[in-house]
mmCIF file of all heavy atoms in Angstrom:
data_model
loop_
_atom_site.group_PDB
_atom_site.id
_atom_site.type_symbol
_atom_site.label_atom_id
_atom_site.label_comp_id
_atom_site.label_asym_id
_atom_site.label_seq_id
_atom_site.Cartn_x
_atom_site.Cartn_y
_atom_site.Cartn_z
ATOM 1 N N GLY A 1261 107.876 92.986 115.353
ATOM 2 C CA GLY A 1261 106.743 92.160 115.732
ATOM 3 C C GLY A 1261 105.411 92.877 115.662
ATOM 4 O O GLY A 1261 104.389 92.280 115.328
ATOM 5 N N GLU A 1262 105.426 94.165 115.971
ATOM 6 C CA GLU A 1262 104.188 94.953 115.955
ATOM 7 C C GLU A 1262 103.843 95.494 114.560
ATOM 8 O O GLU A 1262 102.671 95.751 114.253
ATOM 9 C CB GLU A 1262 104.282 96.139 116.930
ATOM 10 C CG GLU A 1262 104.297 95.739 118.390
ATOM 11 C CD GLU A 1262 102.989 95.093 118.847
ATOM 12 O OE1 GLU A 1262 101.955 95.220 118.167
ATOM 13 O OE2 GLU A 1262 103.022 94.457 119.896
ATOM 14 N N SER A 1263 104.821 95.658 113.699
ATOM 15 C CA SER A 1263 104.605 96.230 112.395
ATOM 16 C C SER A 1263 103.898 95.243 111.470
ATOM 17 O O SER A 1263 104.280 94.074 111.440
ATOM 18 C CB SER A 1263 105.915 96.684 111.750
ATOM 19 O OG SER A 1263 106.585 97.652 112.541
ATOM 20 N N THR A 1264 102.925 95.705 110.726
ATOM 21 C CA THR A 1264 102.271 94.845 109.746
ATOM 22 C C THR A 1264 102.782 95.115 108.334
ATOM 23 O O THR A 1264 102.330 94.478 107.380
ATOM 24 C CB THR A 1264 100.743 94.974 109.817
ATOM 25 O OG1 THR A 1264 100.377 96.350 109.850
ATOM 26 C CG2 THR A 1264 100.212 94.316 111.073
ATOM 27 N N ALA A 1265 103.708 96.072 108.207
ATOM 28 C CA ALA A 1265 104.445 96.296 106.963
ATOM 29 C C ALA A 1265 105.692 97.084 107.334
ATOM 30 O O ALA A 1265 105.742 97.764 108.361
ATOM 31 C CB ALA A 1265 103.621 97.086 105.939
ATOM 32 N N LEU A 1266 106.718 96.967 106.501
ATOM 33 C CA LEU A 1266 107.960 97.705 106.726
ATOM 34 C C LEU A 1266 108.201 98.670 105.584
ATOM 35 O O LEU A 1266 107.922 98.343 104.415
ATOM 36 C CB LEU A 1266 109.140 96.728 106.852
ATOM 37 C CG LEU A 1266 109.064 95.700 108.002
ATOM 38 C CD1 LEU A 1266 110.256 94.777 107.971
ATOM 39 C CD2 LEU A 1266 108.965 96.421 109.357
ATOM 40 N N TYR A 1267 108.712 99.871 105.916
ATOM 41 C CA TYR A 1267 108.828 100.931 104.935
ATOM 42 C C TYR A 1267 110.231 101.544 104.904
ATOM 43 O O TYR A 1267 110.437 102.697 105.311
ATOM 44 C CB TYR A 1267 107.785 102.020 105.229
ATOM 45 C CG TYR A 1267 106.359 101.517 105.190
ATOM 46 C CD1 TYR A 1267 105.650 101.243 106.356
ATOM 47 C CD2 TYR A 1267 105.718 101.330 103.967
ATOM 48 C CE1 TYR A 1267 104.335 100.786 106.308
ATOM 49 C CE2 TYR A 1267 104.412 100.865 103.923
ATOM 50 C CZ TYR A 1267 103.716 100.595 105.093
ATOM 51 O OH TYR A 1267 102.435 100.137 105.055
ATOM 52 N N PRO A 1268 111.228 100.788 104.443
ATOM 53 C CA PRO A 1268 112.581 101.353 104.388
ATOM 54 C C PRO A 1268 112.707 102.399 103.277
ATOM 55 O O PRO A 1268 111.913 102.401 102.315
ATOM 56 C CB PRO A 1268 113.441 100.134 104.079
ATOM 57 C CG PRO A 1268 112.524 99.226 103.295
ATOM 58 C CD PRO A 1268 111.181 99.404 103.951
ATOM 59 N N SER A 1269 113.679 103.263 103.416
ATOM 60 C CA SER A 1269 113.947 104.276 102.385
ATOM 61 C C SER A 1269 115.102 103.811 101.527
ATOM 62 O O SER A 1269 116.121 103.305 102.022
ATOM 63 C CB SER A 1269 114.291 105.615 103.045
ATOM 64 O OG SER A 1269 114.863 106.508 102.099
ATOM 65 N N ILE A 1270 114.990 103.999 100.212
ATOM 66 C CA ILE A 1270 116.101 103.654 99.309
ATOM 67 C C ILE A 1270 116.508 104.881 98.478
ATOM 68 O O ILE A 1270 117.052 104.756 97.386
ATOM 69 C CB ILE A 1270 115.743 102.468 98.379
ATOM 70 C CG1 ILE A 1270 114.486 102.736 97.562
ATOM 71 C CG2 ILE A 1270 115.604 101.193 99.187
ATOM 72 C CD1 ILE A 1270 114.248 101.679 96.476
ATOM 73 N N TYR A 1271 116.266 106.086 99.022
ATOM 74 C CA TYR A 1271 116.744 107.298 98.353
ATOM 75 C C TYR A 1271 118.257 107.216 98.223
ATOM 76 O O TYR A 1271 118.942 106.786 99.160
ATOM 77 C CB TYR A 1271 116.416 108.551 99.162
ATOM 78 C CG TYR A 1271 114.953 108.801 99.472
ATOM 79 C CD1 TYR A 1271 114.588 109.828 100.332
ATOM 80 C CD2 TYR A 1271 113.935 108.037 98.900
ATOM 81 C CE1 TYR A 1271 113.250 110.081 100.619
ATOM 82 C CE2 TYR A 1271 112.622 108.320 99.172
ATOM 83 C CZ TYR A 1271 112.277 109.331 100.049
ATOM 84 O OH TYR A 1271 110.955 109.569 100.331
ATOM 85 N N PHE A 1272 118.792 107.673 97.096
ATOM 86 C CA PHE A 1272 120.261 107.745 97.003
ATOM 87 C C PHE A 1272 120.699 108.996 96.268
ATOM 88 O O PHE A 1272 119.908 109.691 95.622
ATOM 89 C CB PHE A 1272 120.848 106.472 96.363
ATOM 90 C CG PHE A 1272 120.324 106.120 94.999
ATOM 91 C CD1 PHE A 1272 120.818 106.727 93.846
ATOM 92 C CD2 PHE A 1272 119.375 105.090 94.850
ATOM 93 C CE1 PHE A 1272 120.350 106.366 92.595
ATOM 94 C CE2 PHE A 1272 118.907 104.721 93.608
ATOM 95 C CZ PHE A 1272 119.392 105.362 92.469
ATOM 96 N N THR A 1273 121.991 109.285 96.410
ATOM 97 C CA THR A 1273 122.567 110.519 95.859
ATOM 98 C C THR A 1273 122.936 110.358 94.388
ATOM 99 O O THR A 1273 123.072 109.236 93.875
ATOM 100 C CB THR A 1273 123.837 110.922 96.640
ATOM 101 O OG1 THR A 1273 124.811 109.891 96.501
ATOM 102 C CG2 THR A 1273 123.519 111.141 98.120
ATOM 103 N N GLN A 1274 123.101 111.468 93.744
ATOM 104 C CA GLN A 1274 123.442 111.456 92.308
ATOM 105 C C GLN A 1274 124.787 110.810 92.037
ATOM 106 O O GLN A 1274 125.031 110.333 90.933
ATOM 107 C CB GLN A 1274 123.374 112.888 91.742
ATOM 108 C CG GLN A 1274 123.382 112.922 90.214
ATOM 109 C CD GLN A 1274 123.044 114.287 89.670
ATOM 110 O OE1 GLN A 1274 123.063 115.268 90.392
ATOM 111 N NE2 GLN A 1274 122.762 114.351 88.385
ATOM 112 N N HIS A 1275 125.650 110.798 93.049
ATOM 113 C CA HIS A 1275 126.971 110.189 92.882
ATOM 114 C C HIS A 1275 126.855 108.719 92.504
ATOM 115 O O HIS A 1275 127.744 108.172 91.844
ATOM 116 C CB HIS A 1275 127.757 110.350 94.193
ATOM 117 C CG HIS A 1275 129.174 109.894 94.096
ATOM 118 N ND1 HIS A 1275 130.136 110.615 93.442
ATOM 119 C CD2 HIS A 1275 129.785 108.770 94.567
ATOM 120 C CE1 HIS A 1275 131.291 109.953 93.508
ATOM 121 N NE2 HIS A 1275 131.123 108.852 94.194
ATOM 122 N N LEU A 1276 125.751 108.090 92.894
ATOM 123 C CA LEU A 1276 125.566 106.650 92.608
ATOM 124 C C LEU A 1276 124.845 106.408 91.287
ATOM 125 O O LEU A 1276 124.664 105.236 90.894
ATOM 126 C CB LEU A 1276 124.783 105.983 93.741
ATOM 127 C CG LEU A 1276 125.441 105.935 95.123
ATOM 128 C CD1 LEU A 1276 124.553 105.153 96.085
ATOM 129 C CD2 LEU A 1276 126.834 105.314 95.048
ATOM 130 N N SER A 1277 124.407 107.472 90.635
ATOM 131 C CA SER A 1277 123.650 107.317 89.401
ATOM 132 C C SER A 1277 124.405 106.500 88.359
ATOM 133 O O SER A 1277 125.598 106.696 88.139
ATOM 134 C CB SER A 1277 123.307 108.690 88.829
ATOM 135 O OG SER A 1277 122.553 108.558 87.649
ATOM 136 N N ASN A 1278 123.710 105.554 87.759
ATOM 137 C CA ASN A 1278 124.224 104.721 86.691
ATOM 138 C C ASN A 1278 125.401 103.857 87.118
ATOM 139 O O ASN A 1278 126.242 103.481 86.306
ATOM 140 C CB ASN A 1278 124.636 105.569 85.466
ATOM 141 C CG ASN A 1278 123.452 106.286 84.839
ATOM 142 O OD1 ASN A 1278 122.400 105.694 84.643
ATOM 143 N ND2 ASN A 1278 123.633 107.569 84.556
ATOM 144 N N THR A 1279 125.482 103.549 88.409
ATOM 145 C CA THR A 1279 126.549 102.691 88.920
ATOM 146 C C THR A 1279 125.947 101.448 89.571
ATOM 147 O O THR A 1279 124.840 101.470 90.068
ATOM 148 C CB THR A 1279 127.431 103.412 89.968
ATOM 149 O OG1 THR A 1279 126.663 103.604 91.166
ATOM 150 C CG2 THR A 1279 127.922 104.748 89.433
ATOM 151 N N THR A 1280 126.746 100.360 89.594
ATOM 152 C CA THR A 1280 126.289 99.166 90.287
ATOM 153 C C THR A 1280 126.257 99.386 91.802
ATOM 154 O O THR A 1280 125.577 98.635 92.509
ATOM 155 C CB THR A 1280 127.218 97.976 89.978
ATOM 156 O OG1 THR A 1280 128.561 98.339 90.275
ATOM 157 C CG2 THR A 1280 127.113 97.578 88.504
ATOM 158 N N SER A 1281 126.963 100.390 92.280
ATOM 159 C CA SER A 1281 126.917 100.720 93.698
ATOM 160 C C SER A 1281 125.510 101.057 94.146
ATOM 161 O O SER A 1281 125.097 100.767 95.298
ATOM 162 C CB SER A 1281 127.858 101.883 94.027
ATOM 163 O OG SER A 1281 129.213 101.504 93.836
ATOM 164 N N ALA A 1282 124.722 101.691 93.257
ATOM 165 C CA ALA A 1282 123.332 101.994 93.604
ATOM 166 C C ALA A 1282 122.558 100.707 93.832
ATOM 167 O O ALA A 1282 121.764 100.606 94.782
ATOM 168 C CB ALA A 1282 122.693 102.828 92.486
ATOM 169 N N ALA A 1283 122.758 99.718 92.962
ATOM 170 C CA ALA A 1283 122.064 98.440 93.130
ATOM 171 C C ALA A 1283 122.472 97.745 94.423
ATOM 172 O O ALA A 1283 121.636 97.174 95.133
ATOM 173 C CB ALA A 1283 122.382 97.529 91.921
ATOM 174 N N LEU A 1284 123.763 97.826 94.791
ATOM 175 C CA LEU A 1284 124.243 97.218 96.014
ATOM 176 C C LEU A 1284 123.648 97.923 97.226
ATOM 177 O O LEU A 1284 123.279 97.284 98.223
ATOM 178 C CB LEU A 1284 125.784 97.267 96.067
ATOM 179 C CG LEU A 1284 126.501 96.396 95.035
ATOM 180 C CD1 LEU A 1284 127.991 96.672 95.084
ATOM 181 C CD2 LEU A 1284 126.222 94.923 95.248
ATOM 182 N N PHE A 1285 123.570 99.236 97.164
ATOM 183 C CA PHE A 1285 123.005 100.034 98.241
ATOM 184 C C PHE A 1285 121.545 99.634 98.492
ATOM 185 O O PHE A 1285 121.138 99.338 99.613
ATOM 186 C CB PHE A 1285 123.096 101.515 97.869
ATOM 187 C CG PHE A 1285 122.347 102.445 98.766
ATOM 188 C CD1 PHE A 1285 122.837 102.796 100.001
ATOM 189 C CD2 PHE A 1285 121.130 102.982 98.366
ATOM 190 C CE1 PHE A 1285 122.142 103.661 100.838
ATOM 191 C CE2 PHE A 1285 120.433 103.865 99.183
ATOM 192 C CZ PHE A 1285 120.935 104.192 100.441
ATOM 193 N N VAL A 1286 120.753 99.590 97.417
ATOM 194 C CA VAL A 1286 119.354 99.237 97.522
ATOM 195 C C VAL A 1286 119.194 97.767 97.926
ATOM 196 O O VAL A 1286 118.375 97.440 98.799
ATOM 197 C CB VAL A 1286 118.620 99.509 96.200
ATOM 198 C CG1 VAL A 1286 117.212 98.930 96.218
ATOM 199 C CG2 VAL A 1286 118.600 101.014 95.898
ATOM 200 N N ARG A 1287 119.979 96.906 97.320
ATOM 201 C CA ARG A 1287 119.875 95.483 97.579
ATOM 202 C C ARG A 1287 119.955 95.144 99.066
ATOM 203 O O ARG A 1287 119.109 94.423 99.599
ATOM 204 C CB ARG A 1287 120.992 94.727 96.840
ATOM 205 C CG ARG A 1287 120.993 93.233 97.037
ATOM 206 C CD ARG A 1287 122.081 92.599 96.190
ATOM 207 N NE ARG A 1287 121.900 92.902 94.784
ATOM 208 C CZ ARG A 1287 122.825 92.660 93.851
ATOM 209 N NH1 ARG A 1287 123.983 92.106 94.182
ATOM 210 N NH2 ARG A 1287 122.575 92.968 92.586
ATOM 211 N N HIS A 1288 120.949 95.704 99.727
ATOM 212 C CA HIS A 1288 121.152 95.318 101.114
ATOM 213 C C HIS A 1288 120.192 96.027 102.054
ATOM 214 O O HIS A 1288 119.911 95.536 103.140
ATOM 215 C CB HIS A 1288 122.610 95.571 101.503
ATOM 216 C CG HIS A 1288 123.544 94.578 100.853
ATOM 217 N ND1 HIS A 1288 123.659 93.282 101.302
ATOM 218 C CD2 HIS A 1288 124.324 94.658 99.741
ATOM 219 C CE1 HIS A 1288 124.514 92.626 100.523
ATOM 220 N NE2 HIS A 1288 124.923 93.424 99.589
ATOM 221 N N ARG A 1289 119.609 97.130 101.620
ATOM 222 C CA ARG A 1289 118.540 97.746 102.429
ATOM 223 C C ARG A 1289 117.279 96.909 102.373
ATOM 224 O O ARG A 1289 116.612 96.696 103.375
ATOM 225 C CB ARG A 1289 118.254 99.168 101.936
ATOM 226 C CG ARG A 1289 119.397 100.115 102.269
ATOM 227 C CD ARG A 1289 119.043 101.580 102.045
ATOM 228 N NE ARG A 1289 119.929 102.329 102.925
ATOM 229 C CZ ARG A 1289 119.570 103.360 103.658
ATOM 230 N NH1 ARG A 1289 118.319 103.756 103.636
ATOM 231 N NH2 ARG A 1289 120.418 103.982 104.437
ATOM 232 N N ILE A 1290 116.958 96.411 101.171
ATOM 233 C CA ILE A 1290 115.770 95.561 101.042
ATOM 234 C C ILE A 1290 115.997 94.226 101.769
ATOM 235 O O ILE A 1290 115.111 93.720 102.469
ATOM 236 C CB ILE A 1290 115.446 95.319 99.560
ATOM 237 C CG1 ILE A 1290 115.129 96.628 98.833
ATOM 238 C CG2 ILE A 1290 114.298 94.321 99.418
ATOM 239 C CD1 ILE A 1290 113.887 97.338 99.357
ATOM 240 N N LEU A 1291 117.188 93.670 101.611
ATOM 241 C CA LEU A 1291 117.486 92.395 102.265
ATOM 242 C C LEU A 1291 117.410 92.533 103.792
ATOM 243 O O LEU A 1291 116.938 91.602 104.482
ATOM 244 C CB LEU A 1291 118.871 91.892 101.858
ATOM 245 C CG LEU A 1291 118.983 91.345 100.451
ATOM 246 C CD1 LEU A 1291 120.454 91.071 100.112
ATOM 247 C CD2 LEU A 1291 118.160 90.069 100.280
ATOM 248 N N GLU A 1292 117.878 93.660 104.335
ATOM 249 C CA GLU A 1292 117.791 93.862 105.763
ATOM 250 C C GLU A 1292 116.345 93.957 106.220
ATOM 251 O O GLU A 1292 115.964 93.441 107.276
ATOM 252 C CB GLU A 1292 118.568 95.112 106.166
ATOM 253 C CG GLU A 1292 118.550 95.443 107.663
ATOM 254 C CD GLU A 1292 119.224 94.382 108.569
ATOM 255 O OE1 GLU A 1292 119.709 93.359 108.034
ATOM 256 O OE2 GLU A 1292 119.256 94.605 109.775
ATOM 257 N N ALA A 1293 115.521 94.621 105.422
ATOM 258 C CA ALA A 1293 114.070 94.670 105.728
ATOM 259 C C ALA A 1293 113.446 93.277 105.691
ATOM 260 O O ALA A 1293 112.657 92.921 106.581
ATOM 261 C CB ALA A 1293 113.369 95.617 104.763
ATOM 262 N N MET A 1294 113.813 92.504 104.708
ATOM 263 C CA MET A 1294 113.305 91.144 104.625
ATOM 264 C C MET A 1294 113.777 90.292 105.792
ATOM 265 O O MET A 1294 113.038 89.479 106.333
ATOM 266 C CB MET A 1294 113.731 90.483 103.302
ATOM 267 C CG MET A 1294 113.385 91.275 102.052
ATOM 268 S SD MET A 1294 111.661 91.238 101.600
ATOM 269 C CE MET A 1294 111.564 89.683 100.753
ATOM 270 N N ARG A 1295 115.019 90.546 106.210
ATOM 271 C CA ARG A 1295 115.575 89.773 107.327
ATOM 272 C C ARG A 1295 114.860 90.076 108.649
ATOM 273 O O ARG A 1295 114.465 89.139 109.370
ATOM 274 C CB ARG A 1295 117.078 90.094 107.486
ATOM 275 C CG ARG A 1295 117.774 89.255 108.557
ATOM 276 C CD ARG A 1295 119.173 89.750 108.824
ATOM 277 N NE ARG A 1295 119.163 91.000 109.586
ATOM 278 C CZ ARG A 1295 119.068 91.067 110.928
ATOM 279 N NH1 ARG A 1295 118.926 89.958 111.642
ATOM 280 N NH2 ARG A 1295 119.081 92.239 111.527
ATOM 281 N N VAL A 1296 114.678 91.367 108.949
ATOM 282 C CA VAL A 1296 114.044 91.683 110.232
ATOM 283 C C VAL A 1296 112.566 91.284 110.220
ATOM 284 O O VAL A 1296 112.001 90.975 111.278
ATOM 285 C CB VAL A 1296 114.210 93.182 110.594
ATOM 286 C CG1 VAL A 1296 115.692 93.564 110.668
ATOM 287 C CG2 VAL A 1296 113.452 94.098 109.650
ATOM 288 N N ALA A 1297 111.953 91.279 109.035
ATOM 289 C CA ALA A 1297 110.572 90.821 108.950
ATOM 290 C C ALA A 1297 110.452 89.341 109.395
ATOM 291 O O ALA A 1297 109.467 88.939 109.980
ATOM 292 C CB ALA A 1297 110.023 91.021 107.526
ATOM 293 N N GLU A 1298 111.483 88.595 109.099
ATOM 294 C CA GLU A 1298 111.506 87.176 109.464
ATOM 295 C C GLU A 1298 111.732 86.969 110.971
ATOM 296 O O GLU A 1298 111.339 85.944 111.521
ATOM 297 C CB GLU A 1298 112.620 86.437 108.696
ATOM 298 C CG GLU A 1298 112.435 86.408 107.196
ATOM 299 C CD GLU A 1298 111.584 85.230 106.742
ATOM 300 O OE1 GLU A 1298 111.098 84.479 107.636
ATOM 301 O OE2 GLU A 1298 111.381 85.079 105.531
ATOM 302 N N LEU A 1299 112.320 87.953 111.652
ATOM 303 C CA LEU A 1299 112.658 87.820 113.067
ATOM 304 C C LEU A 1299 111.418 87.647 113.936
ATOM 305 O O LEU A 1299 111.484 87.034 114.987
ATOM 306 C CB LEU A 1299 113.464 89.032 113.545
ATOM 307 C CG LEU A 1299 114.867 89.198 113.014
ATOM 308 C CD1 LEU A 1299 115.501 90.460 113.581
ATOM 309 C CD2 LEU A 1299 115.730 87.978 113.328
ATOM 310 N N SER A 1300 110.305 88.207 113.486
ATOM 311 C CA SER A 1300 109.117 88.173 114.300
ATOM 312 C C SER A 1300 108.459 86.791 114.376
ATOM 313 O O SER A 1300 107.553 86.555 115.179
ATOM 314 C CB SER A 1300 108.062 89.164 113.780
ATOM 315 O OG SER A 1300 107.630 88.782 112.493
ATOM 316 N N LYS A 1301 108.926 85.861 113.525
ATOM 317 C CA LYS A 1301 108.427 84.484 113.518
ATOM 318 C C LYS A 1301 106.922 84.398 113.163
ATOM 319 O O LYS A 1301 106.234 83.463 113.549
ATOM 320 C CB LYS A 1301 108.663 83.782 114.846
ATOM 321 C CG LYS A 1301 110.103 83.776 115.302
ATOM 322 C CD LYS A 1301 111.017 83.044 114.342
ATOM 323 C CE LYS A 1301 112.445 83.019 114.880
ATOM 324 N NZ LYS A 1301 113.391 82.346 113.916
ATOM 325 N N LYS A 1302 106.432 85.414 112.431
ATOM 326 C CA LYS A 1302 105.060 85.349 111.982
ATOM 327 C C LYS A 1302 104.913 84.258 110.901
ATOM 328 O O LYS A 1302 105.894 83.914 110.221
ATOM 329 C CB LYS A 1302 104.609 86.686 111.416
ATOM 330 C CG LYS A 1302 104.626 87.819 112.431
ATOM 331 C CD LYS A 1302 104.265 89.145 111.767
ATOM 332 C CE LYS A 1302 104.312 90.297 112.746
ATOM 333 N NZ LYS A 1302 104.084 91.613 112.100
ATOM 334 N N THR A 1303 103.709 83.756 110.728
ATOM 335 C CA THR A 1303 103.496 82.738 109.691
ATOM 336 C C THR A 1303 103.919 83.244 108.334
ATOM 337 O O THR A 1303 104.593 82.542 107.569
ATOM 338 C CB THR A 1303 102.006 82.339 109.652
ATOM 339 O OG1 THR A 1303 101.579 81.939 110.962
ATOM 340 C CG2 THR A 1303 101.773 81.205 108.663
ATOM 341 N N VAL A 1304 103.545 84.486 108.040
ATOM 342 C CA VAL A 1304 103.971 85.166 106.821
ATOM 343 C C VAL A 1304 104.606 86.472 107.238
ATOM 344 O O VAL A 1304 103.955 87.282 107.928
ATOM 345 C CB VAL A 1304 102.814 85.408 105.849
ATOM 346 C CG1 VAL A 1304 103.277 86.176 104.620
ATOM 347 C CG2 VAL A 1304 102.188 84.088 105.422
ATOM 348 N N PRO A 1305 105.865 86.746 106.875
ATOM 349 C CA PRO A 1305 106.514 87.979 107.281
ATOM 350 C C PRO A 1305 105.786 89.222 106.780
ATOM 351 O O PRO A 1305 105.099 89.184 105.762
ATOM 352 C CB PRO A 1305 107.919 87.864 106.680
ATOM 353 C CG PRO A 1305 108.109 86.412 106.402
ATOM 354 C CD PRO A 1305 106.742 85.880 106.081
ATOM 355 N N ALA A 1306 105.947 90.338 107.476
ATOM 356 C CA ALA A 1306 105.348 91.594 107.060
ATOM 357 C C ALA A 1306 105.897 91.984 105.682
ATOM 358 O O ALA A 1306 107.078 91.819 105.409
ATOM 359 C CB ALA A 1306 105.684 92.682 108.067
ATOM 360 N N PRO A 1307 105.031 92.455 104.784
ATOM 361 C CA PRO A 1307 105.505 92.895 103.457
ATOM 362 C C PRO A 1307 106.372 94.146 103.536
ATOM 363 O O PRO A 1307 106.280 94.936 104.480
ATOM 364 C CB PRO A 1307 104.196 93.203 102.717
ATOM 365 C CG PRO A 1307 103.216 93.541 103.785
ATOM 366 C CD PRO A 1307 103.595 92.677 104.965
ATOM 367 N N VAL A 1308 107.235 94.291 102.569
ATOM 368 C CA VAL A 1308 108.190 95.411 102.505
ATOM 369 C C VAL A 1308 107.798 96.324 101.351
ATOM 370 O O VAL A 1308 107.705 95.879 100.212
ATOM 371 C CB VAL A 1308 109.637 94.908 102.331
ATOM 372 C CG1 VAL A 1308 110.592 96.090 102.119
ATOM 373 C CG2 VAL A 1308 110.059 94.073 103.537
#
């Protein structure tokens, strides 16, 4: 509610390089940021 932007980290290890697992890892981190941004019930959610 207090944040006017969210700054998640999507750093990943070399083990995930060139794999779809990297996309899944990043995808759900971004989606979680988008989800919690919606929790504050602001007219427009905080950008990620």
Side-chain angles (χ1 to χ4, degrees):
E1262 290 295 343
S1263 301
T1264 47
L1266 300 178
Y1267 300 101
S1269 167
I1270 57 171
Y1271 301 172
F1272 56 81
T1273 62
Q1274 194 168 14
H1275 186 74
L1276 295 184
S1277 181
N1278 297 315
T1279 70
T1280 55
S1281 293
L1284 293 173
F1285 170 78
V1286 171
R1287 178 178 302 169
H1288 289 283
R1289 290 191 155 223
I1290 298 297
L1291 286 172
E1292 179 64 359
M1294 305 286 278
R1295 185 189 74 83
V1296 302
E1298 296 274 2
L1299 291 179
S1300 66
K1301 305 298 182 182
K1302 296 175 182 176
T1303 305
V1304 176
V1308 174

